[in-house]
Amino acid sequence: MALIFLIVVGVVNLGFVCCEPRNASHRITASPSNNTAVADTNLQKTRCEITIEKPRVLSKGIGSAIVVVVNEEDTIIDVVPDIRYENNTLSMVISPGYVRRFTSEIVSTHLGRGSYEVCVESCGCHHFDMFTIPAPLTLLPPLLTVVLAVLTRQVLVSLTCGVYTAAFISAAYNPLEAFFLTFNDYLVAPFADPSRAAVLLFVSLMAGLVEITEKSGGAAGLANQIFRLAKTAHHASLVTVLLQMMFFFDDFAGIMISSKSLGPLVHQLGLSVQKFSFIVHTMAVTVASLVPLSSWAGIQIGYIESAFKLADKEVSGFSYLLKTIPYRFFVLSAVMCIFIYVALNKDLPPAITYEEEANKNRRQRTVSVASIAENYNVDTDPADEEPKVPLRWFNAVIPLLILITVTLVRMYFDGKNIILTRELGIPITFVNCVSNSSSINDLNVGTAVSLLFVLIAIPVQRILSLPKCLEHFVQGAKSASEPIMILILAWALGIAMCEIHTSDYIALALGNNMPPKYLPAVVTVIGYVMSYSSGSSLGTQGIVFPLIIPVVINLTDDETIYVRTIAAALASSVFGNLCSPIADTTIGSVLFTGCPLLDHIKVATTFAAPIAVLTLVFGDLMVGIYPFYVTYIIVAVVFTSVLLIFGREPGKKSIFNCLHEVIQGRRQPRKYFSVNADDEDVDLPTEESALLPKSLKTEQGS
């Protein structure tokens, strides 16, 4: 409906909107005017040419950069000209005969199409037209994207509509040109950037590696070894947490492998399916979002670097990922509270209800580790049944160690070379080298070496043939198609919003009304709402990053605010993946563990929602008031206190219930029954009842 509305508006405006043919670079070249007086006849022999690089549209009241080049082929002399901008005329006092490439700012004070000219002394004037849009209209693409994500719960559709809406504005309300602009410019532009192409390659390589590791039985073999430690339901929950920590490389792979490998066995030990599903889901998502070598890392690095490029800044996305880890309050608090929750072995409603039911229905039989292999190799479709594979843990551990080792070594030498080549003047330390390395390229090298090892080791062990390994690799790469599409559309939306100056308008509108230190809290609230509504963490980040990073750069130069704002976006977007009923990881968790969806949402929400509120109040709102670790101390104390007071083990009472019964027992008089059947029951005060013989005292209901 939104697209139909925009097309109708565009058709109405098509009659009076004059559309200029534009090429991709937006360069207009003109020779000097004939009526321009030339003082020196020798200058007439020099080619005097004005080349202009201008934006597609102007936003009223917002300065836009315009690049002017004079005599591009001649000698370069860096001399800043005298620039004047009056009455839509940009005048520059320079002499022709030399290259002059400089950037100036042009500000429009009217709406619609207007005429502008660039005048160069002794060279002439160049006239051109520009279309000016209302500045608040630049908010339409991100707002429409968010609203559609909430209503349709389709991130791909929402991002596509957002890109088209920005193109519609950039094309001066011409729907046909906006269509061409969307698919010929904005969606193609990300592929022209080598760093973005490297991100796409990493996502595909990592997805293929994870698929081979799973199909070769290495991941299930690792689960087999760990589960030997489990003897009780409490042990089973601890083992599940430990196993999910080891499957840090991908959230969905961790959910699937743990559920298929451990699911039936933990149920036999008395762990409810609801609690098991909750632990698997929460640990898989939070750990994968934190570790900078997971399948999430490449996408997050791409988001960060691309957003900074919109503000004309080159940064290391991997370095920012490392810097933001201490300030991802919600994610780290969730991991910390999971450990406290499992260690204390106490449950809160509604989880305690499910745990008591699981204890009652537990089947008394010996748990065999060999049944992991039997369960792992079960195939629901007999037609697709494959031979059982040996479950060897080292086929999962060795590739991961190779990936980590090669990547870190490559980062060190790459960063060292950059420090020495660019003469940055900083010490050659491991942290400095990693921070200044080309992280995404180094991740690709590490992943490629690990993948090469797997393609050799698995066929040599006669577990899978080389063609079968390649088939699984292609299948895994295909599974990454949706994240890749979200990534490309998010990049395209960021480029489109940059052209219509969305972030500039937000920064101008906020002005001094929004202190920069409150930006992390604002971003956190936006991330909570958007991720829960859309069910996509990476989709939320793709919408938020192109919007907030240019804004925070415009508002402040404080590096700490940059880091905490990025951390807020990374952490808050995980909330939806944990609690939203439409999140892919939520659906995967309930499908693989067999947990009812409503039960899973109840347990996850009662756990995550209070932590989200605590981290917002004591973390993101308290930027600079106290050190970051104080936030985790507060959350740990509050969560542990609540768990100790209100939580309980199955079949036992909580401290709160005991205190409540004591208080109620003191306030209400006890009712006693008469010895004779004909007498009525009486309520005796405490003092009188104390005088009765024990044989006459019988508490009601006993």
Side-chain angles (χ1 to χ4, degrees), residues 154-187:
Q154 297 292 329
V155 177
L156 289 174
V157 175
S158 305
L159 284 170
T160 303
C161 292
V163 175
Y164 178 81
T165 306
F168 180 77
I169 296 172
S170 184
Y173 314 140
N174 186 331
L176 185 60
E177 186 177 353
F179 183 83
F180 295 142
L181 192 60
T182 299
F183 292 96
N184 291 342
D185 286 67
Y186 293 148
L187 291 179

Side-chain angles (χ1 to χ4, degrees), residues 60-245:
K60 183 179 178 181
I62 298 178
S64 301
I66 180 170
V67 180
V68 181
V69 182
V70 181
N71 285 349
E72 192 170 0
E73 291 80 2
D74 295 332
T75 308
I76 299 178
I77 297 180
D78 295 328
V79 178
V80 179
D82 181 17
I83 302 175
R84 296 188 300 272
Y85 179 70
E86 296 178 356
N87 299 324
N88 295 343
T89 300
L90 192 66
S91 301
M92 307 175 187
V93 182
I94 61 175
S95 300
Y98 303 100
V99 168
R100 293 291 186 270
R101 181 183 179 89
F102 46 86
T103 303
S104 183
E105 188 177 78
I106 187 169
V107 181
S108 177
T109 57
H110 65 278
L111 297 176
R113 193 168 298 278
S115 296
Y116 300 85
E117 64 179 2
V118 174
C119 296
V120 179
E121 186 178 285
S122 303
C123 190
C125 295
H126 173 65
H127 300 268
F128 58 93
D129 291 339
M130 290 287 292
F131 192 86
T132 303
I133 61 174
L137 189 62
T138 61
L139 296 177
L140 182 59
L143 290 178
L144 182 64
T145 303
V146 173
V147 171
L148 288 179
V150 173
L151 296 180
T152 66
R153 304 183 187 277
Q154 297 292 329
V155 177
L156 289 174
V157 175
S158 305
L159 284 170
T160 303
C161 292
V163 175
Y164 178 81
T165 306
F168 180 77
I169 296 172
S170 184
Y173 314 140
N174 186 331
L176 185 60
E177 186 177 353
F179 183 83
F180 295 142
L181 192 60
T182 299
F183 292 96
N184 291 342
D185 286 67
Y186 293 148
L187 291 179
V188 176
F191 295 96
D193 188 342
S195 62
R196 289 170 177 163
V199 171
L200 300 180
L201 177 62
F202 171 73
V203 174
S204 301
L205 290 176
M206 176 60 76
L209 177 63
V210 170
E211 185 74 9
I212 297 176
T213 304
E214 180 208 341
K215 296 300 183 183
S216 64
L222 181 60
N224 187 328
Q225 295 297 320
I226 295 177
F227 194 77
R228 296 177 185 273
L229 304 173
K231 302 299 180 183
T232 64
H234 186 203
H235 292 164
S237 60
L238 289 171
V239 165
T240 303
V241 171
L242 177 62
L243 186 63
Q244 290 304 101
M245 292 288 291

